[in-house]
Amino acid sequence: LISLSSTNVAYFYIHEKLVMVMTLTGKKMPIDESLDQLEKELDKQGFFRVNRGMIINEKAIDKMIAYSRSRVKLELNPIFSEDVVVSRERTPLFKKWLVQNDNFEQ
């Protein structure tokens, strides 16, 4: 068992039906909690669930790119191997979250 502080987490994601955590230093490991449980427990100011399969730490956002239908594509650090796109339903909430955290210029 490893104790991991949320301040060291870049993002949580689903991989082959397992919830994985990627640290800010690039280490990945499975965890026992579901994304739904994590979403309830994590600091809402620092973490945001961008889609059904991923919760990100604001510190992990490297770049934001305009995407189809007003959606946002994210490039993360450490790099995630697949496209990370904020879901259509969550995009307005994501933009509001960024503004509230002073991470987004309109």
Side-chain angles (χ1 to χ4, degrees), residues 20-71:
M20 304 290 290
V21 60
M22 175 71 78
T23 67
L24 291 168
T25 59
K27 294 180 183 178
K28 59 183 169 183
M29 61 198 85
I31 59 171
D32 290 332
E33 294 182 84
S34 70
L35 289 183
D36 289 337
Q37 291 171 311
L38 290 166
E39 186 177 17
K40 292 175 187 171
E41 296 171 7
L42 291 166
D43 174 23
K44 305 279 188 259
Q45 188 171 2
F47 288 88
F48 189 86
R49 187 159 185 179
V50 294
N51 55 43
R52 284 184 287 164
M54 181 172 265
I55 298 173
I56 61 162
N57 183 338
E58 67 175 333
K59 296 176 189 173
I61 300 172
D62 192 38
K63 187 186 255 186
M64 294 180 281
I65 304 161
Y67 202 67
S68 67
R69 297 186 194 166
S70 303
R71 294 168 69 193

CSV table of all heavy atoms in Angstrom, one decimal, residues 20-71:
chain,number,residue,atom,x,y,z
A,20,MET,N,-6.9,4.4,-12.5
A,20,MET,CA,-5.5,4.6,-12.4
A,20,MET,C,-5.2,6.0,-11.9
A,20,MET,O,-6.1,6.9,-12.2
A,20,MET,CB,-4.8,4.4,-13.7
A,20,MET,CG,-5.0,3.0,-14.3
A,20,MET,SD,-4.2,1.7,-13.4
A,20,MET,CE,-2.5,2.0,-13.8
A,21,VAL,N,-4.1,6.2,-11.2
A,21,VAL,CA,-3.7,7.6,-10.9
A,21,VAL,C,-2.3,7.8,-11.5
A,21,VAL,O,-1.5,7.0,-11.6
A,21,VAL,CB,-3.6,7.8,-9.3
A,21,VAL,CG1,-2.7,6.8,-8.7
A,21,VAL,CG2,-3.3,9.2,-9.0
A,22,MET,N,-2.2,9.1,-12.1
A,22,MET,CA,-0.9,9.5,-12.6
A,22,MET,C,-0.4,10.6,-11.7
A,22,MET,O,-1.2,11.6,-11.5
A,22,MET,CB,-1.1,10.0,-14.0
A,22,MET,CG,0.2,10.6,-14.6
A,22,MET,SD,1.5,9.4,-15.0
A,22,MET,CE,0.9,8.7,-16.5
A,23,THR,N,0.8,10.5,-11.2
A,23,THR,CA,1.3,11.5,-10.3
A,23,THR,C,1.9,12.7,-11.2
A,23,THR,O,2.2,12.5,-12.3
A,23,THR,CB,2.4,11.0,-9.3
A,23,THR,OG1,3.5,10.6,-10.1
A,23,THR,CG2,1.8,9.8,-8.5
A,24,LEU,N,2.2,13.8,-10.5
A,24,LEU,CA,2.8,14.9,-11.2
A,24,LEU,C,4.2,14.6,-11.7
A,24,LEU,O,4.7,15.2,-12.6
A,24,LEU,CB,2.8,16.1,-10.3
A,24,LEU,CG,1.4,16.7,-10.0
A,24,LEU,CD1,1.5,17.8,-8.9
A,24,LEU,CD2,0.9,17.4,-11.3
A,25,THR,N,4.8,13.5,-11.1
A,25,THR,CA,6.2,13.1,-11.5
A,25,THR,C,6.1,12.0,-12.5
A,25,THR,O,7.2,11.5,-12.9
A,25,THR,CB,7.0,12.6,-10.2
A,25,THR,OG1,6.3,11.6,-9.6
A,25,THR,CG2,7.2,13.8,-9.2
A,26,GLY,N,4.9,11.6,-13.0
A,26,GLY,CA,4.8,10.6,-14.0
A,26,GLY,C,4.7,9.2,-13.6
A,26,GLY,O,4.8,8.3,-14.4
A,27,LYS,N,4.5,8.9,-12.3
A,27,LYS,CA,4.3,7.5,-11.9
A,27,LYS,C,2.8,7.2,-12.0
A,27,LYS,O,2.0,8.0,-11.6
A,27,LYS,CB,4.8,7.3,-10.5
A,27,LYS,CG,6.2,7.5,-10.3
A,27,LYS,CD,6.6,7.3,-8.9
A,27,LYS,CE,8.1,7.5,-8.7
A,27,LYS,NZ,8.6,7.4,-7.3
A,28,LYS,N,2.5,6.0,-12.5
A,28,LYS,CA,1.1,5.6,-12.5
A,28,LYS,C,0.9,4.3,-11.7
A,28,LYS,O,1.8,3.5,-11.7
A,28,LYS,CB,0.6,5.5,-14.0
A,28,LYS,CG,1.3,4.5,-14.8
A,28,LYS,CD,0.8,4.5,-16.2
A,28,LYS,CE,1.7,3.7,-17.1
A,28,LYS,NZ,1.3,3.8,-18.5
A,29,MET,N,-0.3,4.2,-11.1
A,29,MET,CA,-0.7,3.0,-10.3
A,29,MET,C,-2.2,2.9,-10.2
A,29,MET,O,-2.9,3.9,-10.3
A,29,MET,CB,0.0,3.1,-9.0
A,29,MET,CG,-0.5,4.3,-8.1
A,29,MET,SD,0.6,4.7,-6.8
A,29,MET,CE,1.8,5.8,-7.6
A,30,PRO,N,-2.7,1.7,-10.0
A,30,PRO,CA,-4.1,1.5,-9.8
A,30,PRO,C,-4.5,1.9,-8.4
A,30,PRO,O,-3.7,1.9,-7.5
A,30,PRO,CB,-4.3,0.0,-10.0
A,30,PRO,CG,-3.0,-0.6,-9.7
A,30,PRO,CD,-1.9,0.4,-10.0
A,31,ILE,N,-5.8,2.3,-8.3
A,31,ILE,CA,-6.3,2.6,-7.0
A,31,ILE,C,-7.7,1.9,-6.8
A,31,ILE,O,-8.3,1.5,-7.8
A,31,ILE,CB,-6.5,4.1,-6.7
A,31,ILE,CG1,-7.3,4.8,-7.7
A,31,ILE,CG2,-5.1,4.8,-6.7
A,31,ILE,CD1,-7.7,6.2,-7.4
A,32,ASP,N,-8.2,1.8,-5.6
A,32,ASP,CA,-9.4,1.0,-5.4
A,32,ASP,C,-10.7,1.9,-5.5
A,32,ASP,O,-11.7,1.3,-5.6
A,32,ASP,CB,-9.3,0.4,-4.0
A,32,ASP,CG,-8.3,-0.7,-3.8
A,32,ASP,OD1,-8.0,-1.3,-4.9
A,32,ASP,OD2,-7.8,-0.9,-2.7
A,33,GLU,N,-10.6,3.2,-5.5
A,33,GLU,CA,-11.8,4.0,-5.5
A,33,GLU,C,-12.3,4.2,-6.9
A,33,GLU,O,-11.5,4.2,-7.8
A,33,GLU,CB,-11.5,5.3,-4.8
A,33,GLU,CG,-11.3,5.2,-3.3
A,33,GLU,CD,-11.1,6.5,-2.6
A,33,GLU,OE1,-12.1,7.1,-2.3
A,33,GLU,OE2,-9.9,6.9,-2.5
A,34,SER,N,-13.6,4.4,-7.1
A,34,SER,CA,-14.1,4.7,-8.4
A,34,SER,C,-14.0,6.2,-8.6
A,34,SER,O,-13.7,7.0,-7.7
A,34,SER,CB,-15.6,4.4,-8.4
A,34,SER,OG,-16.4,5.3,-7.6
A,35,LEU,N,-14.1,6.6,-9.9
A,35,LEU,CA,-14.1,8.1,-10.2
A,35,LEU,C,-15.2,8.8,-9.5
A,35,LEU,O,-15.0,10.0,-9.1
A,35,LEU,CB,-14.1,8.3,-11.7
A,35,LEU,CG,-12.9,7.9,-12.5
A,35,LEU,CD1,-13.0,8.3,-14.0
A,35,LEU,CD2,-11.6,8.6,-11.9
A,36,ASP,N,-16.4,8.2,-9.4
A,36,ASP,CA,-17.5,8.8,-8.7
A,36,ASP,C,-17.1,9.1,-7.2
A,36,ASP,O,-17.4,10.2,-6.7
A,36,ASP,CB,-18.8,7.9,-8.8
A,36,ASP,CG,-19.4,7.9,-10.2
A,36,ASP,OD1,-19.1,8.8,-11.0
A,36,ASP,OD2,-20.1,6.9,-10.4
A,37,GLN,N,-16.5,8.1,-6.6
A,37,GLN,CA,-16.1,8.3,-5.2
A,37,GLN,C,-15.0,9.5,-5.1
A,37,GLN,O,-15.1,10.3,-4.2
A,37,GLN,CB,-15.5,7.1,-4.6
A,37,GLN,CG,-16.5,6.0,-4.4
A,37,GLN,CD,-15.8,4.7,-4.0
A,37,GLN,OE1,-14.9,4.2,-4.7
A,37,GLN,NE2,-16.3,4.0,-3.0
A,38,LEU,N,-14.1,9.4,-6.0
A,38,LEU,CA,-13.0,10.4,-6.0
A,38,LEU,C,-13.6,11.8,-6.2
A,38,LEU,O,-13.2,12.8,-5.5
A,38,LEU,CB,-12.0,10.1,-7.0
A,38,LEU,CG,-11.1,8.9,-6.7
A,38,LEU,CD1,-10.3,8.4,-8.0
A,38,LEU,CD2,-10.1,9.2,-5.6
A,39,GLU,N,-14.5,11.9,-7.1
A,39,GLU,CA,-15.1,13.2,-7.4
A,39,GLU,C,-15.7,13.8,-6.2
A,39,GLU,O,-15.6,15.1,-6.0
A,39,GLU,CB,-16.1,13.1,-8.6
A,39,GLU,CG,-16.7,14.4,-9.1
A,39,GLU,CD,-17.7,14.2,-10.2
A,39,GLU,OE1,-18.2,13.0,-10.4
A,39,GLU,OE2,-17.9,15.1,-10.9
A,40,LYS,N,-16.4,13.0,-5.4
A,40,LYS,CA,-17.0,13.5,-4.1
A,40,LYS,C,-15.9,13.9,-3.1
A,40,LYS,O,-16.2,14.8,-2.3
A,40,LYS,CB,-17.9,12.5,-3.6
A,40,LYS,CG,-19.1,12.2,-4.4
A,40,LYS,CD,-19.9,11.0,-3.8
A,40,LYS,CE,-21.0,10.7,-4.8
A,40,LYS,NZ,-21.7,9.4,-4.4
A,41,GLU,N,-14.8,13.2,-3.1
A,41,GLU,CA,-13.8,13.4,-2.0
A,41,GLU,C,-12.8,14.5,-2.3
A,41,GLU,O,-12.2,15.1,-1.4
A,41,GLU,CB,-13.1,12.1,-1.8
A,41,GLU,CG,-13.9,11.0,-1.2
A,41,GLU,CD,-13.3,9.7,-1.2
A,41,GLU,OE1,-12.0,9.6,-1.4
A,41,GLU,OE2,-14.0,8.7,-0.9
A,42,LEU,N,-12.5,14.7,-3.6
A,42,LEU,CA,-11.4,15.7,-4.0
A,42,LEU,C,-11.8,17.1,-3.8
A,42,LEU,O,-13.0,17.5,-3.9
A,42,LEU,CB,-11.0,15.4,-5.4
A,42,LEU,CG,-10.3,14.1,-5.7
A,42,LEU,CD1,-10.2,13.8,-7.1
A,42,LEU,CD2,-8.9,14.1,-5.0
A,43,ASP,N,-10.8,18.0,-3.6
A,43,ASP,CA,-11.0,19.4,-3.5
A,43,ASP,C,-11.6,19.9,-4.9
A,43,ASP,O,-10.9,19.8,-5.9
A,43,ASP,CB,-9.7,20.1,-3.2
A,43,ASP,CG,-9.8,21.6,-3.3
A,43,ASP,OD1,-10.9,22.2,-3.1
A,43,ASP,OD2,-8.7,22.2,-3.4
A,44,LYS,N,-12.8,20.5,-4.9
A,44,LYS,CA,-13.4,20.9,-6.1
A,44,LYS,C,-12.7,22.1,-6.8
A,44,LYS,O,-12.8,22.3,-7.9
A,44,LYS,CB,-14.9,21.4,-5.8
A,44,LYS,CG,-15.7,20.3,-5.2
A,44,LYS,CD,-16.2,19.3,-6.2
A,44,LYS,CE,-17.2,18.4,-5.6
A,44,LYS,NZ,-16.7,17.1,-5.2
A,45,GLN,N,-11.9,22.8,-6.0
A,45,GLN,CA,-11.2,23.9,-6.6
A,45,GLN,C,-10.0,23.4,-7.4
A,45,GLN,O,-9.6,24.0,-8.4
A,45,GLN,CB,-10.7,24.9,-5.5
A,45,GLN,CG,-10.1,26.1,-6.0
A,45,GLN,CD,-9.8,27.2,-4.9
A,45,GLN,OE1,-10.1,26.9,-3.7
A,45,GLN,NE2,-9.3,28.3,-5.3
A,46,GLY,N,-9.3,22.4,-7.0
A,46,GLY,CA,-8.1,21.9,-7.6
A,46,GLY,C,-8.4,20.8,-8.7
A,46,GLY,O,-7.6,20.6,-9.6
A,47,PHE,N,-9.5,20.1,-8.5
A,47,PHE,CA,-9.8,18.9,-9.4
A,47,PHE,C,-11.1,19.1,-10.1
A,47,PHE,O,-12.0,19.6,-9.6
A,47,PHE,CB,-9.8,17.6,-8.6
A,47,PHE,CG,-8.4,17.2,-8.2
A,47,PHE,CD1,-7.9,17.6,-6.9
A,47,PHE,CD2,-7.7,16.3,-8.9
A,47,PHE,CE1,-6.7,17.3,-6.5
A,47,PHE,CE2,-6.4,15.9,-8.5
A,47,PHE,CZ,-5.9,16.4,-7.3
A,48,PHE,N,-11.1,18.6,-11.4
A,48,PHE,CA,-12.4,18.7,-12.2
A,48,PHE,C,-12.5,17.4,-13.0
A,48,PHE,O,-11.6,16.9,-13.6
A,48,PHE,CB,-12.3,19.9,-13.1
A,48,PHE,CG,-13.6,20.2,-13.8
A,48,PHE,CD1,-14.6,20.9,-13.2
A,48,PHE,CD2,-13.9,19.6,-15.1
A,48,PHE,CE1,-15.8,21.2,-13.8
A,48,PHE,CE2,-15.1,19.8,-15.7
A,48,PHE,CZ,-16.1,20.6,-15.1
A,49,ARG,N,-13.7,16.9,-13.0
A,49,ARG,CA,-14.0,15.7,-13.8
A,49,ARG,C,-14.4,16.2,-15.2
A,49,ARG,O,-15.5,16.8,-15.4
A,49,ARG,CB,-15.2,14.9,-13.2
A,49,ARG,CG,-15.4,13.6,-14.0
A,49,ARG,CD,-16.1,12.6,-13.1
A,49,ARG,NE,-16.2,11.3,-13.8
A,49,ARG,CZ,-16.8,10.3,-13.3
A,49,ARG,NH1,-17.3,10.4,-12.1
A,49,ARG,NH2,-16.9,9.2,-13.9
A,50,VAL,N,-13.5,16.0,-16.2
A,50,VAL,CA,-13.7,16.5,-17.5
A,50,VAL,C,-14.6,15.6,-18.4
A,50,VAL,O,-15.2,16.1,-19.4
A,50,VAL,CB,-12.3,16.7,-18.2
A,50,VAL,CG1,-11.6,17.8,-17.5
A,50,VAL,CG2,-11.5,15.5,-18.3
A,51,ASN,N,-14.7,14.3,-18.1
A,51,ASN,CA,-15.5,13.4,-18.8
A,51,ASN,C,-15.8,12.2,-18.0
A,51,ASN,O,-15.3,12.1,-16.8
A,51,ASN,CB,-14.9,13.1,-20.2
A,51,ASN,CG,-13.5,12.6,-20.1
A,51,ASN,OD1,-13.2,11.7,-19.2
A,51,ASN,ND2,-12.7,13.0,-20.9
A,52,ARG,N,-16.4,11.2,-18.5
A,52,ARG,CA,-16.8,10.0,-17.7
A,52,ARG,C,-15.5,9.2,-17.3
A,52,ARG,O,-15.6,8.5,-16.3
A,52,ARG,CB,-17.6,9.0,-18.5
A,52,ARG,CG,-19.1,9.4,-18.6
A,52,ARG,CD,-19.9,8.4,-19.4
A,52,ARG,NE,-19.5,8.5,-20.8
A,52,ARG,CZ,-19.8,7.6,-21.7
A,52,ARG,NH1,-20.4,6.5,-21.3
A,52,ARG,NH2,-19.5,7.7,-22.9
A,53,GLY,N,-14.4,9.4,-18.0
A,53,GLY,CA,-13.2,8.6,-17.7
A,53,GLY,C,-12.1,9.3,-17.1
A,53,GLY,O,-11.0,8.7,-16.9
A,54,MET,N,-12.2,10.6,-16.7
A,54,MET,CA,-11.0,11.3,-16.2
A,54,MET,C,-11.4,12.4,-15.3
A,54,MET,O,-12.3,13.2,-15.5
A,54,MET,CB,-10.2,11.8,-17.4
A,54,MET,CG,-9.0,12.5,-17.0
A,54,MET,SD,-7.9,12.9,-18.5
A,54,MET,CE,-6.8,11.5,-18.4
A,55,ILE,N,-10.6,12.5,-14.2
A,55,ILE,CA,-10.6,13.7,-13.3
A,55,ILE,C,-9.2,14.3,-13.4
A,55,ILE,O,-8.2,13.5,-13.2
A,55,ILE,CB,-10.9,13.3,-11.9
A,55,ILE,CG1,-12.3,12.7,-11.8
A,55,ILE,CG2,-10.8,14.5,-10.9
A,55,ILE,CD1,-12.7,12.1,-10.4
A,56,ILE,N,-9.1,15.6,-13.6
A,56,ILE,CA,-7.8,16.2,-13.7
A,56,ILE,C,-7.5,17.2,-12.6
A,56,ILE,O,-8.4,17.8,-12.0
A,56,ILE,CB,-7.6,17.0,-15.1
A,56,ILE,CG1,-8.6,18.1,-15.2
A,56,ILE,CG2,-7.7,16.0,-16.2
A,56,ILE,CD1,-8.3,19.1,-16.2
A,57,ASN,N,-6.2,17.4,-12.3
A,57,ASN,CA,-5.8,18.4,-11.4
A,57,ASN,C,-5.4,19.6,-12.2
A,57,ASN,O,-4.8,19.5,-13.3
A,57,ASN,CB,-4.5,17.9,-10.7
A,57,ASN,CG,-4.0,18.9,-9.6
A,57,ASN,OD1,-4.2,20.1,-9.7
A,57,ASN,ND2,-3.2,18.4,-8.7
A,58,GLU,N,-5.8,20.8,-11.8
A,58,GLU,CA,-5.6,22.0,-12.6
A,58,GLU,C,-4.1,22.2,-12.9
A,58,GLU,O,-3.7,22.7,-13.9
A,58,GLU,CB,-6.1,23.3,-11.9
A,58,GLU,CG,-5.4,23.6,-10.6
A,58,GLU,CD,-5.9,24.9,-10.0
A,58,GLU,OE1,-6.3,25.8,-10.7
A,58,GLU,OE2,-5.8,25.0,-8.7
A,59,LYS,N,-3.2,21.7,-12.0
A,59,LYS,CA,-1.8,21.8,-12.2
A,59,LYS,C,-1.3,20.9,-13.4
A,59,LYS,O,-0.2,21.2,-13.9
A,59,LYS,CB,-1.0,21.3,-10.9
A,59,LYS,CG,-1.3,22.1,-9.7
A,59,LYS,CD,-0.6,21.5,-8.5
A,59,LYS,CE,-1.0,22.1,-7.2
A,59,LYS,NZ,-0.4,21.4,-6.0
A,60,ALA,N,-2.1,20.0,-13.8
A,60,ALA,CA,-1.6,19.1,-14.9
A,60,ALA,C,-2.0,19.7,-16.3
A,60,ALA,O,-1.5,19.2,-17.3
A,60,ALA,CB,-2.3,17.7,-14.8
A,61,ILE,N,-2.8,20.8,-16.3
A,61,ILE,CA,-3.1,21.3,-17.6
A,61,ILE,C,-2.0,22.1,-18.2
A,61,ILE,O,-1.5,23.1,-17.6
A,61,ILE,CB,-4.4,22.3,-17.5
A,61,ILE,CG1,-5.6,21.5,-16.9
A,61,ILE,CG2,-4.7,22.9,-18.8
A,61,ILE,CD1,-6.7,22.4,-16.6
A,62,ASP,N,-1.5,21.6,-19.3
A,62,ASP,CA,-0.4,22.2,-20.0
A,62,ASP,C,-0.9,23.2,-21.1
A,62,ASP,O,-0.3,24.3,-21.3
A,62,ASP,CB,0.5,21.2,-20.7
A,62,ASP,CG,1.8,21.7,-21.1
A,62,ASP,OD1,2.4,22.6,-20.4
A,62,ASP,OD2,2.3,21.2,-22.2
A,63,LYS,N,-1.9,22.8,-21.8
A,63,LYS,CA,-2.5,23.6,-22.9
A,63,LYS,C,-3.9,23.3,-23.1
A,63,LYS,O,-4.4,22.1,-22.9
A,63,LYS,CB,-1.7,23.3,-24.2
A,63,LYS,CG,-2.0,24.1,-25.4
A,63,LYS,CD,-1.3,23.6,-26.6
A,63,LYS,CE,-0.1,24.5,-26.9
A,63,LYS,NZ,0.6,24.1,-28.2
A,64,MET,N,-4.7,24.3,-23.5
A,64,MET,CA,-6.1,24.1,-23.9
A,64,MET,C,-6.3,24.5,-25.3
A,64,MET,O,-5.8,25.6,-25.7
A,64,MET,CB,-7.0,25.0,-23.0
A,64,MET,CG,-6.9,24.5,-21.5
A,64,MET,SD,-8.0,25.5,-20.4
A,64,MET,CE,-7.0,27.0,-20.2
A,65,ILE,N,-7.0,23.7,-26.1
A,65,ILE,CA,-7.2,23.9,-27.5
A,65,ILE,C,-8.7,23.9,-27.8
A,65,ILE,O,-9.4,23.0,-27.3
A,65,ILE,CB,-6.5,22.9,-28.3
A,65,ILE,CG1,-5.0,22.8,-27.9
A,65,ILE,CG2,-6.7,23.1,-29.8
A,65,ILE,CD1,-4.3,21.6,-28.3
A,66,ALA,N,-9.2,24.9,-28.5
A,66,ALA,CA,-10.6,24.9,-28.9
A,66,ALA,C,-10.9,23.7,-29.8
A,66,ALA,O,-10.1,23.3,-30.6
A,66,ALA,CB,-10.9,26.2,-29.7
A,67,TYR,N,-12.0,23.1,-29.5
A,67,TYR,CA,-12.4,21.8,-30.2
A,67,TYR,C,-13.8,21.9,-30.7
A,67,TYR,O,-14.5,23.0,-30.5
A,67,TYR,CB,-12.3,20.7,-29.1
A,67,TYR,CG,-12.1,19.3,-29.7
A,67,TYR,CD1,-11.0,18.9,-30.4
A,67,TYR,CD2,-13.1,18.4,-29.5
A,67,TYR,CE1,-10.8,17.7,-30.9
A,67,TYR,CE2,-12.9,17.1,-30.0
A,67,TYR,CZ,-11.8,16.7,-30.7
A,67,TYR,OH,-11.6,15.5,-31.2
A,68,SER,N,-14.3,20.9,-31.3
A,68,SER,CA,-15.6,21.0,-32.0
A,68,SER,C,-16.7,21.3,-31.0
A,68,SER,O,-16.7,20.9,-29.8
A,68,SER,CB,-15.9,19.7,-32.7
A,68,SER,OG,-16.1,18.7,-31.8
A,69,ARG,N,-17.8,22.0,-31.5
A,69,ARG,CA,-19.0,22.4,-30.7
A,69,ARG,C,-18.7,23.0,-29.4
A,69,ARG,O,-19.2,22.7,-28.3
A,69,ARG,CB,-19.8,21.1,-30.5
A,69,ARG,CG,-20.4,20.5,-31.7
A,69,ARG,CD,-21.3,19.4,-31.4
A,69,ARG,NE,-21.5,18.6,-32.6
A,69,ARG,CZ,-22.1,17.5,-32.6
A,69,ARG,NH1,-22.5,16.9,-31.5
A,69,ARG,NH2,-22.3,16.8,-33.7
A,70,SER,N,-17.7,24.0,-29.4
A,70,SER,CA,-17.4,24.7,-28.2
A,70,SER,C,-16.7,23.8,-27.1
A,70,SER,O,-16.7,24.2,-25.9
A,70,SER,CB,-18.6,25.4,-27.6
A,70,SER,OG,-19.1,26.3,-28.5
A,71,ARG,N,-16.3,22.7,-27.5
A,71,ARG,CA,-15.6,21.8,-26.5
A,71,ARG,C,-14.1,22.2,-26.4
A,71,ARG,O,-13.6,23.0,-27.2
A,71,ARG,CB,-15.7,20.4,-26.9
A,71,ARG,CG,-17.2,19.9,-26.8
A,71,ARG,CD,-17.5,18.6,-27.5
A,71,ARG,NE,-16.9,17.5,-26.8
A,71,ARG,CZ,-16.7,16.3,-27.2
A,71,ARG,NH1,-17.1,16.0,-28.5
A,71,ARG,NH2,-16.2,15.4,-26.5
